[in-house]
Amino acid sequence: MKAVLMAGGEGTRLRPMTANQPKPLLPVVNKPIMEHVLLLLRKHGFTETVVTVQFLATLIRNYFGDGEELGMKLDYVAEEVPLGTAGSVKNAEEYLRGEPFLVISGDALTDIDLTDMVRFHKESGAKVTIALKRVPNPLEFGIIIVDEQGRIQRFLEKPTWGQVFSDTVNTGIYIMEPEVLERVAPGEVVDWSGDVFPELLEEGEPLYGYIADGYWEDVGTHESYLSAQADVLSGKVDVEIDGFEVSPGVWIGEGAQVDPNAVLKGPLYVGDYAKVEAGAELREYTVVGSNAVVRADAFCHRTVLHDNVFVGRGANLRGAVIGKNTDIMAAVRVEEGAVVGEDCVIESEAYVHNDVKVYPFKTIEAGAVVNDNVIWESRGQRSLFGPRGVSGLTNVEITPELAVRLANAFATTLKKGAIVTTSRDVSRAARTLKRAVISALTSAAIDVRDLEVVPLPVARFHTAQSGVSGGVALRTTPGDPESVDILFLDDRGADLSPGAQRKLDRVFSRAEYRRAFPGEIAELTQPSRVVENYTGELLASVDASGVAEAELKVVIDCAGGTSSLILPSLLGRIGVDVLTVNNRLDEVSPTDTVAKKMRDLERLGELVSSSRADFGVRFDPVAERLAIVDENGELVDDDRALLVVLDLVAAERGGGRVALPVTTTRVAETVARSHGAEVHWTATATDELTKAVQGGAEDVVFAADGRGGFVLPEFSPTSDGIAAFVRLLGLVARTRRSLSQIDRAIPRAHLLRRSVPTPWAVKGSVMRAVVEAAGDRELDTTDGVRVLEPGGGWALVLPDTSEAVTHLWAEGPDSDTAQRLLDEWAAVVERAEG
């Protein structure tokens, strides 16, 4: 049986280590990852191997040649352009002679028993066998569920936490029968997991998973690169280490000179012909490359030095990676997570902070403090984006410099000459940061239409209606006046999809920003009549008929926010009696705190009750959400408000579909069905309601998120508090029923929530434990895992995307059942954490 070794990846997440060399050539304990893989193949009898190459292919060819030095025969197949995992193998079909073959990655470190995997493949009669491994964080891999015989039941490529239903992942090691290649069109981009395997699974072909006991590490990040070194040195992976083990865990290469007065605390490795002077201290998990020099009194701990690195006297390196031919001069300090590329010079007494990335051929001046993207950097966080865009403390985490880099990254994802809107709330921080964003966008050949201070729904509306490519909106973080959110919008005015966020994140982390030539510097304009256009379109789209005839009286709290810019002209055209409070722009308190919101709602209730108004609403400071108070001055909480408005809309429309997140009470189905409507359940991500509204066209009549956000498809695919208020006015005027009457007629929900702290490392195993604990019960994996109970009720387990927390919801026909379900599944989560 032949093997196909995939060696075409760029390894972009490992830059700057891979800026000048392909990822398979990265050394792990002084030997390229790909060489470890080839030696594993040879050990299991795969002496003929086809290597697929693309990025910097010549370097791989030159290093390994025809394989004679390894006792193997290597053939190479080059791709002119990337063809995907399956397309790449199809490109090598002429070398496979119509026989079963093995596919393996050249950049993942493993000692999996390939001989036993071949046995399993033959005995199971599989058309494809996939090597599987259980990992703590399955987000970057394809997750797979198999039955007791190993037959694959389901898989999902690179899920979000909400889609994680197992921690058993695809390692990218396959054994295949030759006819599988017939399904791959030559010269086209085709992936095994994304294209071929789903087709085979749907057709009922025998796909099996071989759950491997051996070691496997996808060396895709700087953290996993260091972990791989430590695992080899600790003996966790069965690979060859070149050199002599002079004491337990201390390996010395041929010709290396280690002074007897040097301090060595293994496990560690010193490469061929390296030199370690007296007084130098090498601590655990340090790797010193061939021909490297470590001078007296230098200190290295969990640090990887590539070949020909010079470490000067008194230098201090912790958890760092130093590229080949780089000089680290005297008294330099390089901190945890920093990576210095090849052929660099870090002059004496310079200080390189945590996680700083220095790209090849750079010089850091003596005494310089490198702490914030002086050259290239990645903050090393799990994701740049959180649930509210990019958020952080003003002038600490979110600085004008960061705003510039974010805007540069956003601009780089767009075409030159594209148009982007900018907007902000009333805060001074947002004003300052918006100016930085505008400068960066125009310098990258992006024309800017600055909407200045407007409600967020107006910014979304203008972005969607004016044919621009996207938008940037800045606001104070809800509930945190010391922080700010930077929201990036797509051409629909909606928040960027997860895929678009990842694209922007990649550009930002690699700092590969586009610059415009002097003649391409873009323009800044301030469009006129933004508010008037929004108001006119809103009244033309949303049914407010009957309001004037009903002689409604309402109380509105603008919360000192941007809704005060819209309401005067809007309400005058509707013809409703209004009492307005906090109708001003409040720079001092530009966001809601819990105390402020509750105080304002209490005051709003008093005003509604004393003035005998029909109801009251309070907008959030950017007018995206609203809270509702009924005619008695009682707050209608967000869950009930969703049901009340749903009842009004469904009754008037007499059918259609309603888009709601899976965390919503199933009482919503009862309400919708009573009026001939149907509920479409969505995931909880911010863009999911927008996708459901646009995908359903006129069939979707309403959407809401249960947190005060309402979507009116007839006007906009995004949440809009002002439009929701106008719609509510019309509904109440025409129904002639009070909000409290509608609320009382709707069944009470018994829905409980809880959050359980969950370390990132065990989130995958937690979700697998949930699936296993569910047994034969019906599962819904729209977002997270929802378990449907046979006797009624359900429980949802959903990992948080940005925090080390797992959220649980449970609903039953009564409070006791809901509490029992919540306790039961919380216990499952807590046990799985170990």
Side-chain angles (χ1 to χ4, degrees):
M1 186 181 293
K2 280 192 174 183
V4 180
L5 188 147
M6 315 284 285
E10 294 186 37
T12 54
R13 291 180 298 165
L14 284 165
R15 293 185 181 182
M17 285 189 285
T18 53
N20 290 46
Q21 65 178 330
K23 181 180 172 185
L25 289 185
L26 275 183
V28 172
V29 189
N30 228 34
K31 187 179 294 182
I33 304 172
M34 179 173 159
E35 187 172 346
H36 287 299
V37 176
L38 287 171
L39 291 174
L40 176 70
L41 290 171
R42 186 187 69 184
K43 176 181 176 180
H44 290 278
F46 293 88
T47 55
E48 294 185 51
T49 298
V50 184
V51 182
T52 66
V53 291
Q54 197 261 326
F55 177 69
L56 297 177
T58 301
L59 296 181
I60 293 178
R61 290 176 184 267
N62 291 345
Y63 188 94
F64 292 103
D66 60 5
E68 182 179 359
E69 290 186 10
L70 296 174
M72 305 178 72
K73 181 179 183 299
L74 301 182
D75 294 299
Y76 296 88
V77 178
E79 301 171 47
E80 297 297 327
V81 294
L83 296 173
T85 54
S88 180
V89 176
K90 180 72 173 182
N91 204 33
E93 186 176 21
E94 64 178 294
Y95 292 94
L96 300 178
R97 295 197 303 264
E99 300 174 354
F101 57 91
L102 179 139
V103 178
I104 193 168
S105 171
D107 52 25
L109 186 66
T110 183
D111 61 5
I112 287 175
D113 189 342
L114 301 179
T115 300
D116 191 61
M117 184 177 172
V118 171
R119 175 200 59 76
F120 176 88
H121 175 79
K122 292 178 179 177
E123 290 180 359
S124 63
K127 185 156 287 187
V128 177
T129 297
I130 303 174
L132 307 178
K133 185 69 180 172
R134 287 175 176 160
V135 300
N137 183 356
L139 289 190
E140 292 300 321
F141 312 104
I143 58 177
I144 292 179
I145 286 182
V146 297
D147 64 18
E148 293 179 1
Q149 288 73 43
R151 187 154 185 162
I152 292 172
Q153 302 297 304
R154 185 178 179 193
F155 56 87
L156 178 66
E157 192 68 10
K158 293 189 178 181
T160 64
W161 272 119
Q163 298 170 313
V164 170
F165 48 80
S166 173
D167 62 345
T168 307
V169 305
N170 179 359
T171 66
I173 302 174
Y174 313 124
I175 298 175
M176 301 185 182
E177 294 302 306
E179 58 265 29
V180 175
L181 281 179
E182 297 173 7
R183 297 175 176 268
V184 183
E188 295 186 9
V189 179
V190 184
D191 281 306
W192 293 121
S193 295
D195 303 311
V196 179
F197 294 165
E199 180 180 316
L200 290 170
L201 196 64
E202 185 175 348
E203 294 176 8
E205 295 287 355
L207 269 68
Y208 280 78
Y210 171 80
I211 300 180
D213 293 326
Y215 178 94
W216 177 80
E217 176 71 61
D218 175 40
V219 186
T221 65
H222 296 107
E223 293 79 9
S224 61
Y225 180 68
L226 289 175
S227 294
Q229 313 278 348
D231 291 343
V232 170
L233 292 171
S234 301
K236 293 181 180 179
V237 51
D238 183 18
V239 298
E240 296 180 15
I241 299 179
D242 293 336
F244 307 92
E245 191 174 12
V246 297
S247 63
V250 177
W251 295 82
I252 306 296
E254 180 180 352
Q257 300 178 36
V258 180
D259 192 281
N261 292 317
V263 179
L264 274 62
K265 297 183 179 180
L268 58 83
Y269 179 86
V270 178
D272 298 346
Y273 302 101
K275 182 178 182 181
V276 181
E277 293 186 351
E281 183 173 356
L282 305 181
R283 296 291 299 271
E284 295 88 346
Y285 309 122
T286 290
V287 175
V288 178
S290 298
N291 303 303
V293 175
V294 181
R295 296 291 306 273
D297 302 320
F299 177 90
C300 297
H301 182 208
R302 198 170 169 265
T303 290
V304 177
L305 309 178
H306 291 180
D307 294 348
N308 300 300
V309 168
F310 176 87
V311 179
R313 184 183 297 270
N316 190 302
L317 293 80
R318 299 172 184 268
V321 178
I322 311 298
K324 63 183 180 182
N325 304 318
T326 286
D327 295 335
I328 307 293
M329 308 307 288
V332 165
R333 189 175 183 93
V334 184
E335 295 288 8
E336 186 81 18
V339 179
V340 180
E342 61 186 66
D343 292 290
C344 290
V345 177
I346 313 297
E347 295 183 349
S348 59
E349 299 184 2
Y351 184 82
V352 181
H353 268 268
N354 298 61
D355 300 322
V356 167
K357 310 295 184 281
V358 181
Y359 270 60
F361 310 107
K362 307 297 181 184
T363 298
I364 304 299
E365 295 180 355
V369 177
V370 184
N371 59 13
D372 190 21
N373 200 35
V374 173
I375 303 173
W376 299 77
E377 62 95 24
S378 170
R379 294 187 176 273
Q381 59 197 49
R382 294 186 182 275
S383 174
L384 184 64
F385 286 84
R388 296 180 303 272
V390 182
S391 305
L393 288 170
T394 303
N395 275 343
V396 177
E397 296 169 298
I398 304 293
T399 63
E401 294 85 356
L402 178 70
V404 166
R405 297 201 303 274
L406 286 168
N408 276 333
F410 186 46
T412 304
T413 66
L414 305 174
K415 295 180 179 180
K416 284 187 176 182
I419 304 172
V420 166
T421 64
T422 57
S423 60
R424 66 175 179 91
D425 69 4
V426 302
S427 68
R428 295 176 183 176
R431 177 176 60 195
T432 299
L433 294 169
K434 181 168 69 71
R435 291 169 178 170
V437 167
I438 290 171
S439 296
L441 291 172
T442 53
S443 72
I446 301 296
D447 287 312
V448 173
R449 291 181 182 172
D450 185 23
L451 309 180
E452 302 181 285
V453 181
V454 292
L456 186 53
V458 175
R460 294 186 187 276
F461 172 82
H462 187 85
T463 302
Q465 297 296 317
S466 56
V468 303
S469 298
V472 184
L474 297 97
R475 69 175 181 190
T476 310
T477 301
D480 186 359
E482 296 183 351
S483 297
V484 68
D485 301 336
I486 303 178
L487 307 178
F488 292 92
L489 313 179
D490 62 16
D491 57 0
R492 307 166 299 173
D495 293 349
L496 292 184
S497 67
Q501 289 180 5
R502 285 193 293 268
K503 182 178 179 181
L504 193 155
D505 201 343
R506 284 196 299 271
V507 174
F508 176 81
S509 64
R510 291 154 57 177
E512 295 180 344
Y513 310 134
R514 183 181 68 221
R515 291 287 184 268
F517 296 110
E520 296 177 323
I521 301 297
E523 292 185 351
L524 167 65
T525 58
Q526 283 88 23
S528 61
R529 303 182 60 82
V530 172
V531 170
E532 290 84 350
N533 292 339
Y534 170 84
T535 302
E537 187 64 29
L538 173 60
L539 293 178
S541 303
V542 177
D543 187 1
S545 62
V547 173
E549 294 78 4
E551 298 182 345
L552 291 181
K553 183 176 183 179
V554 296
V555 183
I556 299 174
D557 186 348
C558 295
T562 49
S563 60
S564 60
L565 300 172
I566 300 289
L567 292 175
S569 61
L570 176 66
L571 295 173
R573 297 174 62 180
I574 294 176
V576 61
D577 187 8
V578 178
L579 170 62
T580 307
V581 296
N582 292 322
N583 187 23
R584 68 190 188 282
L585 296 179
D586 188 355
E587 288 189 3
V588 178
S589 301
T591 190
D592 273 340
T593 61
V594 174
K596 176 187 175 185
K597 182 176 180 179
M598 296 313 297
R599 184 174 61 247
D600 286 354
L601 286 172
E602 183 178 352
R603 175 61 175 158
L604 178 63
E606 293 172 354
L607 290 172
V608 170
S609 178
S610 63
S611 64
R612 298 184 179 180
D614 293 278
F615 64 92
V617 298
R618 181 184 185 275
F619 296 101
D620 72 352
V622 295
E624 193 167 39
R625 303 177 185 279
L626 54 82
I628 301 174
V629 170
D630 68 17
E631 76 280 4
N632 300 316
E634 298 294 328
L635 174 66
V636 184
D637 66 45
D638 288 342
D639 289 336
R640 297 300 294 181
L642 183 153
L643 297 175
V644 168
V645 179
L646 168 60
D647 185 87
L648 286 165
V649 172
E652 185 168 275
R653 296 296 291 266
R657 290 199 306 157
V658 177
L660 302 173
V662 291
T663 52
T664 307
T665 171
R666 267 46 187 180
V667 172
E669 288 185 320
T670 303
V671 174
R673 280 198 299 264
S674 69
H675 301 295
E678 174 190 353
V679 175
H680 169 66
W681 299 108
T682 75
T684 55
T686 54
D687 70 323
E688 290 296 328
L689 289 179
T690 297
K691 286 165 57 179
V693 167
Q694 292 192 318
E698 296 180 1
D699 188 31
V700 177
V701 298
F702 176 69
D705 62 10
R707 294 177 288 114
F710 299 93
V711 180
L712 305 185
E714 66 267 34
F715 176 62
S716 169
T718 58
S719 179
D720 188 331
I722 298 171
F725 167 63
V726 174
R727 185 79 165 100
L728 183 60
L729 276 175
L731 290 167
V732 172
R734 294 187 294 274
T735 193
R736 301 290 181 172
R737 289 191 297 159
S738 69
L739 295 185
S740 65
Q741 288 174 330
I742 299 169
D743 190 13
R744 283 195 300 269
I746 297 172
R748 310 312 292 181
H750 302 284
L751 177 64
L752 302 177
R753 303 176 180 84
R754 186 181 301 174
S755 295
V756 178
T758 309
W760 286 102
V762 300
K763 280 192 174 184
S765 59
V766 163
M767 299 311 294
R768 175 167 58 88
V770 169
V771 172
E772 292 173 350
D776 296 331
R777 283 173 283 193
E778 183 181 349
L779 299 182
D780 173 11
T781 56
T782 300
D783 201 7
V785 174
R786 188 168 73 94
V787 183
L788 280 67
E789 297 293 329
W794 55 273
L796 172 66
V797 183
L798 178 63
D800 194 282
T801 58
S802 59
E803 297 181 9
V805 167
T806 297
H807 302 294
L808 295 95
W809 286 260
E811 185 174 30
D814 53 64
S815 297
D816 290 342
T817 303
Q819 188 64 56
R820 178 183 59 78
L821 287 173
L822 188 65
D823 292 341
E824 174 187 344
W825 290 102
V828 171
V829 172
E830 290 165 354
R831 283 197 303 270
E833 294 176 11

Short mmCIF file of all heavy atoms in Angstrom, two decimals, residues 171-193:
data_model
loop_
_atom_site.label_atom_id
_atom_site.label_comp_id
_atom_site.label_asym_id
_atom_site.label_seq_id
_atom_site.Cartn_x
_atom_site.Cartn_y
_atom_site.Cartn_z
N THR A 171 -8.50 13.34 12.30
CA THR A 171 -7.06 13.66 12.30
C THR A 171 -6.51 13.96 10.91
O THR A 171 -5.37 14.39 10.78
CB THR A 171 -6.25 12.50 12.89
OG1 THR A 171 -6.36 11.37 12.02
CG2 THR A 171 -6.74 12.15 14.28
N GLY A 172 -7.32 13.72 9.87
CA GLY A 172 -6.81 13.90 8.52
C GLY A 172 -5.98 12.72 8.03
O GLY A 172 -5.31 12.82 7.00
N ILE A 173 -6.01 11.60 8.76
CA ILE A 173 -5.33 10.37 8.32
C ILE A 173 -6.41 9.42 7.82
O ILE A 173 -7.33 9.07 8.56
CB ILE A 173 -4.53 9.73 9.47
CG1 ILE A 173 -3.50 10.73 10.03
CG2 ILE A 173 -3.83 8.46 9.00
CD1 ILE A 173 -2.78 10.22 11.27
N TYR A 174 -6.31 9.01 6.55
CA TYR A 174 -7.35 8.20 5.92
C TYR A 174 -6.72 6.98 5.24
O TYR A 174 -5.60 7.05 4.71
CB TYR A 174 -8.10 8.99 4.85
CG TYR A 174 -8.54 10.37 5.27
CD1 TYR A 174 -8.16 11.50 4.53
CD2 TYR A 174 -9.34 10.56 6.40
CE1 TYR A 174 -8.57 12.77 4.89
CE2 TYR A 174 -9.75 11.83 6.77
CZ TYR A 174 -9.36 12.93 6.02
OH TYR A 174 -9.76 14.19 6.38
N ILE A 175 -7.47 5.88 5.22
CA ILE A 175 -7.17 4.77 4.31
C ILE A 175 -8.37 4.64 3.39
O ILE A 175 -9.52 4.59 3.84
CB ILE A 175 -6.93 3.46 5.08
CG1 ILE A 175 -5.71 3.60 6.01
CG2 ILE A 175 -6.71 2.31 4.10
CD1 ILE A 175 -5.47 2.39 6.88
N MET A 176 -8.11 4.60 2.07
CA MET A 176 -9.20 4.63 1.09
C MET A 176 -9.04 3.55 0.03
O MET A 176 -7.91 3.19 -0.35
CB MET A 176 -9.23 5.99 0.38
CG MET A 176 -9.42 7.18 1.28
SD MET A 176 -9.57 8.69 0.33
CE MET A 176 -9.71 9.88 1.67
N GLU A 177 -10.18 3.11 -0.41
CA GLU A 177 -10.20 2.24 -1.58
C GLU A 177 -10.07 3.11 -2.83
O GLU A 177 -10.50 4.27 -2.84
CB GLU A 177 -11.50 1.44 -1.62
CG GLU A 177 -11.65 0.44 -0.48
CD GLU A 177 -10.51 -0.56 -0.43
OE1 GLU A 177 -10.25 -1.21 -1.47
OE2 GLU A 177 -9.87 -0.68 0.63
N PRO A 178 -9.48 2.59 -3.89
CA PRO A 178 -9.16 3.44 -5.05
C PRO A 178 -10.38 4.05 -5.73
O PRO A 178 -10.29 5.14 -6.29
CB PRO A 178 -8.42 2.48 -5.99
CG PRO A 178 -8.80 1.11 -5.53
CD PRO A 178 -9.00 1.19 -4.05
N GLU A 179 -11.56 3.39 -5.65
CA GLU A 179 -12.72 3.92 -6.36
C GLU A 179 -13.22 5.23 -5.76
O GLU A 179 -14.01 5.94 -6.38
CB GLU A 179 -13.85 2.89 -6.38
CG GLU A 179 -14.31 2.42 -5.02
CD GLU A 179 -13.62 1.13 -4.59
OE1 GLU A 179 -12.46 0.91 -5.02
OE2 GLU A 179 -14.23 0.36 -3.83
N VAL A 180 -12.78 5.55 -4.54
CA VAL A 180 -13.19 6.81 -3.94
C VAL A 180 -12.71 7.98 -4.79
O VAL A 180 -13.38 9.02 -4.90
CB VAL A 180 -12.65 6.93 -2.50
CG1 VAL A 180 -12.98 8.30 -1.90
CG2 VAL A 180 -13.26 5.84 -1.63
N LEU A 181 -11.55 7.84 -5.42
CA LEU A 181 -11.02 8.93 -6.23
C LEU A 181 -11.88 9.22 -7.46
O LEU A 181 -11.78 10.29 -8.04
CB LEU A 181 -9.59 8.60 -6.68
CG LEU A 181 -8.49 8.82 -5.63
CD1 LEU A 181 -7.14 8.44 -6.21
CD2 LEU A 181 -8.47 10.27 -5.15
N GLU A 182 -12.73 8.27 -7.86
CA GLU A 182 -13.59 8.51 -9.00
C GLU A 182 -14.60 9.62 -8.72
O GLU A 182 -15.18 10.21 -9.64
CB GLU A 182 -14.33 7.22 -9.37
CG GLU A 182 -13.39 6.09 -9.81
CD GLU A 182 -14.13 4.77 -10.00
OE1 GLU A 182 -15.37 4.76 -9.92
OE2 GLU A 182 -13.44 3.75 -10.22
N ARG A 183 -14.82 9.89 -7.46
CA ARG A 183 -15.79 10.94 -7.09
C ARG A 183 -15.18 12.33 -7.09
O ARG A 183 -15.87 13.31 -6.82
CB ARG A 183 -16.37 10.64 -5.71
CG ARG A 183 -17.14 9.33 -5.65
CD ARG A 183 -17.58 9.02 -4.22
NE ARG A 183 -18.40 7.81 -4.18
CZ ARG A 183 -19.72 7.81 -4.26
NH1 ARG A 183 -20.37 8.96 -4.39
NH2 ARG A 183 -20.40 6.68 -4.23
N VAL A 184 -13.90 12.43 -7.34
CA VAL A 184 -13.20 13.71 -7.29
C VAL A 184 -12.90 14.16 -8.72
O VAL A 184 -12.18 13.48 -9.46
CB VAL A 184 -11.89 13.61 -6.48
CG1 VAL A 184 -11.22 14.97 -6.39
CG2 VAL A 184 -12.18 13.05 -5.10
N ALA A 185 -13.46 15.30 -9.10
CA ALA A 185 -13.22 15.83 -10.45
C ALA A 185 -11.79 16.36 -10.54
O ALA A 185 -11.34 17.09 -9.65
CB ALA A 185 -14.21 16.94 -10.76
N PRO A 186 -11.06 16.02 -11.59
CA PRO A 186 -9.68 16.49 -11.71
C PRO A 186 -9.60 18.01 -11.91
O PRO A 186 -10.43 18.59 -12.60
CB PRO A 186 -9.15 15.74 -12.94
CG PRO A 186 -10.38 15.37 -13.72
CD PRO A 186 -11.47 15.16 -12.72
N GLY A 187 -8.60 18.60 -11.29
CA GLY A 187 -8.34 20.02 -11.48
C GLY A 187 -9.28 20.95 -10.75
O GLY A 187 -9.22 22.17 -10.91
N GLU A 188 -10.19 20.41 -9.93
CA GLU A 188 -11.14 21.24 -9.20
C GLU A 188 -10.83 21.21 -7.70
O GLU A 188 -10.20 20.28 -7.20
CB GLU A 188 -12.57 20.76 -9.44
CG GLU A 188 -13.04 20.91 -10.88
CD GLU A 188 -14.51 20.56 -11.03
OE1 GLU A 188 -15.18 20.36 -9.99
OE2 GLU A 188 -14.97 20.47 -12.18
N VAL A 189 -11.29 22.25 -7.00
CA VAL A 189 -11.08 22.32 -5.55
C VAL A 189 -12.12 21.44 -4.87
O VAL A 189 -13.32 21.72 -4.93
CB VAL A 189 -11.20 23.78 -5.05
CG1 VAL A 189 -11.02 23.83 -3.54
CG2 VAL A 189 -10.18 24.66 -5.74
N VAL A 190 -11.66 20.36 -4.26
CA VAL A 190 -12.56 19.40 -3.60
C VAL A 190 -11.93 19.02 -2.26
O VAL A 190 -10.72 18.78 -2.17
CB VAL A 190 -12.76 18.14 -4.45
CG1 VAL A 190 -13.77 17.21 -3.78
CG2 VAL A 190 -13.21 18.49 -5.86
N ASP A 191 -12.75 18.96 -1.23
CA ASP A 191 -12.28 18.55 0.10
C ASP A 191 -12.92 17.23 0.49
O ASP A 191 -14.08 16.96 0.16
CB ASP A 191 -12.62 19.62 1.15
CG ASP A 191 -11.65 20.78 1.12
OD1 ASP A 191 -10.43 20.53 1.21
OD2 ASP A 191 -12.10 21.92 0.99
N TRP A 192 -12.15 16.41 1.22
CA TRP A 192 -12.70 15.15 1.69
C TRP A 192 -13.88 15.39 2.63
O TRP A 192 -14.98 14.89 2.41
CB TRP A 192 -11.62 14.33 2.42
CG TRP A 192 -10.49 13.86 1.57
CD1 TRP A 192 -9.16 14.13 1.72
CD2 TRP A 192 -10.57 13.00 0.42
NE1 TRP A 192 -8.41 13.53 0.75
CE2 TRP A 192 -9.25 12.81 -0.05
CE3 TRP A 192 -11.63 12.37 -0.25
CZ2 TRP A 192 -8.97 12.02 -1.17
CZ3 TRP A 192 -11.35 11.59 -1.35
CH2 TRP A 192 -10.03 11.41 -1.81
N SER A 193 -13.63 16.16 3.71
CA SER A 193 -14.65 16.32 4.75
C SER A 193 -15.82 17.17 4.30
O SER A 193 -16.95 16.96 4.74
CB SER A 193 -14.02 16.94 6.01
OG SER A 193 -13.08 16.05 6.56
#
